[in-house]
Amino acid sequence: MSATSYDGYEGLNRLTLDRAGQAEAFNAIGDRYDNAFPHKEGQLASGAWLADTLPAGSRVLDLGCGTGLPSARQLVDSGHRVVGIDLSPSMVRLARQNVPDADFHRLDIADLRGGRLGGTGSFDGIAAFFSLLMLPRAEIPYALGMLHDLLRPEGLLALSMVEADVDDFTIPFLGNSVRVSGYLRDDLRRVVHDAGFDVVGEDAYAYAPSSTDVPPEIQLFLHLRRA
């Protein structure tokens, strides 16, 4: 798979429409999300790798920023310039309140085509914590290809997914329903490699959310460099 094939993929026009229900679910969840996931050791460790490895003052995209906590806050506190996007208006509003020094936009990942927030090579780093799992599997390689293009040469991507062999699978989530996709770890390594990334680090965490209607999971964190 070429890492530059994303812009020509017409299916992304459907993706924005299909994901409307996902945004509605997260609008309803709001700040309950942070209460349901109070311990984010894996995300904090991966965010620290990104923040500490990037040059000072780097421009970083927080893809699926949620409430801005902890990742946008962590990156801003480390001296980086953060641009966050999320499909949910409620999440964007909370992120602006929680991290006023960052720049947040209500955008779908598909909206980043065409240089909406900067063209090829406009970001030094990207944080994508549990955002790509909201896509059908067929879309994920194209999304990774677009992120590859947005990064400068040898730019860094901190990526997290849940380890699961599922594709666009509906699960109960904090009183709502969302659709998620996942990979087994060998398959995830292959997908990111095919999108043009080298894996420079990897961690896995067993995670049990505090909410009883969200099942326990294995969280995978990959530290990637644009090849």
Side-chain angles (χ1 to χ4, degrees):
M1 169 74 63
S2 168
T4 60
S5 59
Y6 184 94
D7 284 344
Y9 187 59
E10 296 177 356
L12 285 169
N13 294 327
R14 294 195 310 274
L15 172 63
T16 305
L17 297 174
D18 291 344
R19 278 161 51 79
Q22 308 278 67
E24 291 170 1
F26 280 91
N27 281 339
I29 290 166
D31 56 9
R32 289 188 294 128
Y33 180 86
D34 287 331
N35 294 330
F37 295 87
H39 306 294
K40 300 185 175 74
E41 288 86 353
Q43 186 169 339
L44 285 167
S46 189
W49 167 79
L50 184 63
D52 295 345
T53 308
L54 286 169
S58 289
R59 187 170 189 248
V60 184
L61 174 66
D62 188 359
L63 181 70
C65 61
T67 65
L69 303 175
S71 296
R73 178 78 275 162
Q74 183 180 30
L75 289 161
V76 165
D77 287 348
S78 297
H80 300 298
R81 297 171 291 130
V82 176
V83 179
I85 70 166
D86 202 285
L87 190 59
S88 163
S90 294
M91 290 295 180
V92 171
R93 183 170 60 253
L94 289 166
R96 288 170 175 165
Q97 294 170 1
N98 290 329
V99 195
D101 294 333
D103 182 21
F104 295 103
H105 303 265
R106 181 185 176 275
L107 293 173
D108 184 89
I109 183 173
D111 297 327
L112 296 180
R113 292 173 298 176
R116 180 72 178 267
L117 295 178
T120 300
S122 58
F123 288 96
D124 302 291
I126 297 174
F129 293 123
F130 309 108
S131 49
L132 296 190
L133 63 81
M134 309 302 294
L135 305 179
R137 270 189 187 174
E139 308 290 350
I140 291 173
Y142 295 95
L144 285 167
M146 184 205 64
L147 298 182
H148 178 279
D149 289 347
L150 287 175
L151 284 169
R152 63 168 173 79
E154 299 190 349
L156 303 179
L157 169 61
L159 172 70
S160 66
M161 297 281 287
V162 172
E163 184 173 28
D165 188 13
V166 296
D167 181 15
D168 206 26
F169 183 72
T170 299
I171 62 168
F173 192 78
L174 301 178
N176 297 268
S177 294
V178 297
R179 302 190 312 279
V180 298
S181 298
Y183 297 96
L184 302 180
R185 63 190 72 189
D186 285 344
D187 294 327
L188 181 59
R189 294 187 195 106
R190 174 183 53 78
V191 169
V192 300
H193 179 269
D194 289 349
F197 290 97
D198 292 329
V199 178
V200 298
E202 178 181 331
D203 288 302
Y205 294 78
Y207 194 92
S210 63
S211 172
T212 57
D213 75 338
V214 179
E217 59 195 29
I218 301 296
Q219 298 179 345
L220 302 178
F221 293 86
L222 297 186
H223 299 162
L224 308 175
R225 188 183 303 276
R226 175 179 165 166

